[in-house]
Amino acid sequence: MSDLAELQNRLGYCFRDENLLRLALTHPSVAHETSTPTPHNQRLEFLGDSVLGLILSYALYENFPAADEGVLSKSRAKLANATALAGHGRALDLGAHLVLSRGEENTGGRERASALTDAFEALLGAIFLDGGLDAAREFIVREFAGDFGALTESSGIENPKGELQELLQSKSPNAPEYQFISACGPDHGPEFECAVRHDGAELARGRGKSKKAAESDAALAALEKLREGKNI
C-alpha cells in the first residue's frame, strides 16, 4: 500500500477515518482472490456518483443563471463523463494507490480508465461519509474549478442548428432558414458570414471558415439571445 499521507496531502483533505480512503481505493478484483467476502469500492462509487451529480448540478445552476435545463444537463454530462473522471483520477495519481488483485495488476489495472473513474467517484463518496456534504462540496469545487472556467452557457450545445429548430418549432410550424451574406479573406482561407431567419425576421448572424460553420455560429448566437430573453 502506497503512503496514504502523501495522497491525502495531494487531495487537500485529511481523513478522520482512513479506512474509508482505503476502501475507496480497493478494486473489486480483490474479492475474487479471497475465500471470504472482501469489501471493495463499488458501493462507495455508487454513493460518490450521486454526490458528484448533486454538487455539479448546484454549481452549474448558480454559475449559469441564464442556461436552461437542457444546457445544464449537457454541461454536467461533459464534466462528469467517464473520460473526464478518469482524467481527474489520473491527475491525482490514484492508480499508484489502488489495491488490486494480482491478475488486475498484471494486466495494467492501475492505468485502466474504468478503474480510475470508479476510484475517483468512490473517493468522493468516502469524503462525503468522512466529512459530510460541505467537505465533499469543497473538494469537488476545487477539483473542477478549471473545468468550470472552460465552460460557457453554450458548452452543452453540440448541434446548434438542430436545437434552434427544435426550440423555434415548439412555437411555430416554420423551420429557420439560413442566408449566405458574404465571404471575405484570401482564397486559401476565406471567412463566411451567414444569417439565420425565422418567420421573415433575422435572428442572428455568424461567421466561420465554411458556410456550414457560419450557419452553426449563427444558430448558436440566436440560441443565446433567445435564452437571454432578448427580442430578436
Side-chain angles (χ1 to χ4, degrees):
M1 187 72 176
S2 300
D3 184 3
L4 291 183
E6 175 191 345
L7 175 58
Q8 289 176 89
N9 184 58
R10 190 158 56 249
L11 296 176
Y13 180 80
C14 183
F15 277 82
R16 291 177 293 183
D17 181 359
E18 207 168 80
N19 288 326
L20 283 169
L21 177 55
R22 290 192 175 90
L23 182 60
L25 297 168
T26 301
H27 191 270
S29 63
V30 299
H32 304 311
E33 291 190 344
T34 60
S35 57
T36 57
T38 303
H40 52 74
N41 66 9
Q42 294 300 282
R43 281 171 50 84
L44 278 178
E45 181 269 332
F46 165 78
L47 178 61
D49 177 70
S50 296
V51 172
L52 178 63
L54 171 62
I55 292 172
L56 288 182
S57 295
Y58 181 69
L60 288 165
Y61 182 88
E62 288 289 295
N63 285 307
F64 301 102
D68 66 20
E69 69 279 7
V71 171
L72 294 175
S73 293
K74 289 180 180 179
S75 295
R76 182 182 60 196
K78 183 176 181 178
L79 290 169
N81 64 46
T83 300
L85 298 186
H88 284 283
R90 195 170 288 111
L92 292 168
D93 199 23
L94 294 185
H97 301 269
L98 290 178
V99 181
L100 304 169
S101 68
R102 287 187 296 274
E104 191 69 16
E105 177 81 60
N106 293 336
T107 56
R110 293 193 183 280
E111 294 301 319
R112 204 181 310 282
S114 59
L116 292 169
T117 298
D118 287 355
F120 181 75
E121 289 187 314
L123 172 66
L124 302 182
I127 292 174
F128 171 74
L129 290 179
D130 189 73
L133 187 59
D134 286 343
R137 179 169 55 241
E138 182 180 338
F139 177 79
I140 290 170
V141 169
R142 184 173 66 249
E143 183 68 21
F144 284 81
D147 301 309
F148 278 118
L151 282 177
T152 66
E153 290 187 359
S154 58
S155 293
I157 301 176
E158 298 175 358
N159 180 14
K161 292 176 68 175
E163 294 203 21
L164 178 63
Q165 180 166 330
E166 182 179 345
L167 179 61
L168 293 173
Q169 290 193 317
S170 68
K171 304 173 183 178
S172 165
N174 301 320
E177 299 177 345
Y178 294 87
Q179 177 186 4
F180 170 69
I181 303 297
S182 65
C184 60
D187 292 340
H188 65 275
E191 183 176 67
F192 296 87
E193 182 178 22
C194 291
V196 57
R197 303 176 65 85
H198 185 249
D199 286 341
E202 181 176 306
L203 303 183
R205 294 191 178 192
R207 294 178 177 272
K209 296 299 183 181
S210 66
K211 288 183 181 179
K212 183 178 179 180
E215 290 176 355
S216 182
D217 189 55
L220 188 56
L223 279 168
E224 290 175 346
K225 289 181 180 180
L226 286 168
R227 285 169 173 158
E228 291 170 3
K230 294 182 179 178
N231 294 320
I232 57 174

